Amino acid sequence: MSTAKLNPNDKVIIVMGPTGAGKSTFINHAIKGSGDGIGHGLRSQTRAIRVIRPPDLTSGDRPIVFVDTPGLDDTDTPSIEVLGMISEFLIQANKDKIPVEKILYLHRISDNRMAGSILRELRVFKGMCGDTAIPSVVLVTTMWSLVNKVVGESRLSELKETFWKEFRDAGCKFERFEDSEASARQIVFGSTENGEGTVLDKKEPMKLLIVSEIVEKGSKLTDTVAGTPLEQHLQTMVHDEREGNRRLKQALKGVGNPAPKKIAVKSEIQVNVNKEIPDAHTLSKQSIISQPENVTAKVSHVKKTLIGQNQIEFEIRLEIDFKMVINV
């Protein structure tokens, strides 16, 4: 990722957070944008790092520049690749002596639970920053118009006391984005909920842990504090897929009547390669005739239940490439 659009006199504000948290919306409001580039679908809108330089937004005599980033839960790009893009940008900025003033991390207050992917991204984000940089981070809650105020306040309190406690104890600041230009400008230029200056109050640029680990210590991305959770998650997925594949092949060998007579083929299923089937499919009261050596499958979940004599129910969640003949 090039930093050619930046220079050492800029005040760089990086905006991070999960897909759909409102990063592009916040930036568009902050720069009085038209809203172009805001995502409203299920797919991530920001698929690469974007540098946005408003023509008339300054702090003192220094231009303010926003950096929009994809979420680590991006719909099209693996998490470790997104972290690689962000770390590459940060390393290049450090090399070009371009200071990062603040990082805003956005979170939807409308979420009624902390999904595993969001918790993992939060852990990665904390590892990327490190304790030294955390006081320069602002955790920004969004989507307040989608929740009852009492419910929203309760969720915010829970976030501060549990999931964000380490950030709070390390001196991180908090703010809420009310989906307006005034609110965005208040976060950039004004003060936080606790009355402290928000984004442009710190004289020294951020010193990010991931930059220190890679540049000074020569660590690989997957060995950094930020990269380790993603590497562990990837290894777990690989292990689960291999185990699921083994169990599926065993299941295919063991299914069917002990001595089937004449077989009438009722249907034939062809599953596309590498297409994820998001919902578990139940194969019940069926004899599956297939050659296991011709099966290539990645399985995340297999449940085998005996439901009667010579009848076994399988619940399988899988990414699979095989041709399966089913006697219904």
Side-chain angles (χ1 to χ4, degrees):
M1 171 64 199
S2 172
T3 59
K5 295 181 180 180
L6 300 173
N7 65 69
N9 192 48
D10 292 331
K11 287 202 168 187
V12 178
I13 301 171
I14 298 178
V15 184
M16 296 184 63
T19 299
K23 300 184 291 293
S24 299
T25 300
F26 173 85
I27 293 172
N28 272 277
H29 279 298
I31 66 177
K32 301 181 181 179
S34 63
D36 294 339
I38 297 174
H40 298 290
L42 296 178
R43 302 184 74 84
S44 172
Q45 187 67 26
T46 302
R47 299 180 183 178
I49 293 177
R50 298 192 305 153
V51 175
I52 301 101
R53 179 186 295 277
D56 58 351
L57 197 62
T58 61
S59 175
D61 60 349
R62 295 176 60 190
I64 297 174
V65 180
F66 293 95
V67 177
D68 193 6
T69 63
L72 290 173
D73 59 341
D74 184 79
T75 48
D76 297 300
T77 309
S79 299
I80 194 70
E81 187 174 331
V82 175
L83 180 62
M85 289 165 45
I86 295 171
S87 61
E88 181 183 352
F89 175 87
L90 294 171
I91 291 169
Q92 188 62 48
N94 179 73
K95 180 180 178 181
D96 295 341
K97 301 190 183 304
I98 297 170
V100 175
E101 298 288 331
K102 290 286 177 177
I103 297 181
L104 308 182
Y105 185 88
L106 275 56
H107 174 83
R108 296 180 297 264
I109 199 67
S110 55
D111 288 356
N112 58 12
R113 56 184 288 271
M114 288 289 281
S117 60
I118 295 178
L119 285 172
R120 186 164 51 251
E121 178 165 348
L122 194 63
R123 182 182 171 194
V124 171
F125 176 71
K126 186 176 184 297
M128 184 194 80
C129 295
D131 292 340
T132 302
I134 288 297
S136 296
V137 168
V138 182
L139 295 181
V140 181
T141 47
T142 65
M143 311 293 179
W144 280 89
S145 61
L146 301 181
V147 297
N148 175 276
K149 184 177 180 180
V150 175
V151 172
E153 293 290 352
S154 175
R155 289 177 184 171
L156 180 59
S157 177
E158 182 181 6
L159 286 169
K160 291 179 179 179
E161 294 299 323
T162 55
F163 305 109
W164 291 354
K165 186 176 185 300
E166 291 185 18
F167 288 86
R168 184 196 66 186
D169 293 347
C172 175
K173 302 176 180 65
F174 304 95
E175 189 56 280
R176 64 185 73 191
F177 173 49
E178 301 285 359
D179 202 25
S180 69
E181 177 190 328
S183 178
R185 292 293 183 103
Q186 175 71 15
I187 293 172
V188 173
F189 294 105
S191 59
T192 55
E193 293 175 353
N194 55 13
E196 300 177 14
T198 304
V199 175
L200 303 174
D201 60 324
K202 194 173 180 63
K203 296 180 180 179
E204 295 295 327
M206 299 180 71
K207 296 181 180 179
L208 296 160
L209 177 60
I210 195 167
V211 175
S212 173
E213 288 179 298
I214 295 176
V215 174
E216 298 174 13
K217 299 180 181 179
S219 301
K220 296 190 299 184
L221 180 64
T222 52
D223 293 333
T224 63
V225 176
T228 298
L230 297 181
E231 176 69 8
Q232 291 174 343
H233 180 63
L234 178 61
Q235 293 301 323
T236 299
M237 291 177 63
V238 170
H239 174 270
D240 290 347
E241 287 176 355
R242 289 175 177 171
E243 177 64 14
N245 185 38
R246 182 189 66 80
R247 294 172 64 183
L248 177 64
K249 288 184 177 182
Q250 286 184 338
L252 291 174
K253 289 179 180 179
V255 175
N257 294 321
K261 297 181 180 180
K262 186 176 180 180
I263 298 172
V265 176
K266 298 296 184 181
S267 62
E268 183 172 291
I269 299 175
Q270 178 68 54
V271 182
N272 293 330
V273 177
N274 292 330
K275 293 294 184 182
E276 182 179 1
I277 303 174
D279 299 315
H281 286 246
T282 302
L283 309 179
S284 60
K285 300 181 181 179
Q286 299 169 342
S287 291
I288 302 176
I289 294 83
S290 180
Q291 296 297 322
E293 62 270 19
N294 293 332
V295 176
T296 301
K298 296 180 180 180
V299 181
S300 59
H301 172 76
V302 175
K303 181 180 180 181
K304 178 179 177 182
T305 307
L306 180 66
I307 60 175
Q309 186 176 6
N310 294 329
Q311 293 180 329
I312 301 175
E313 182 179 86
F314 283 89
E315 181 180 87
I316 306 175
R317 182 172 297 175
L318 68 165
E319 294 178 6
I320 191 165
D321 175 19
F322 73 113
K323 202 167 187 178
M324 183 171 67
V325 179
I326 300 177
N327 180 25
V328 181

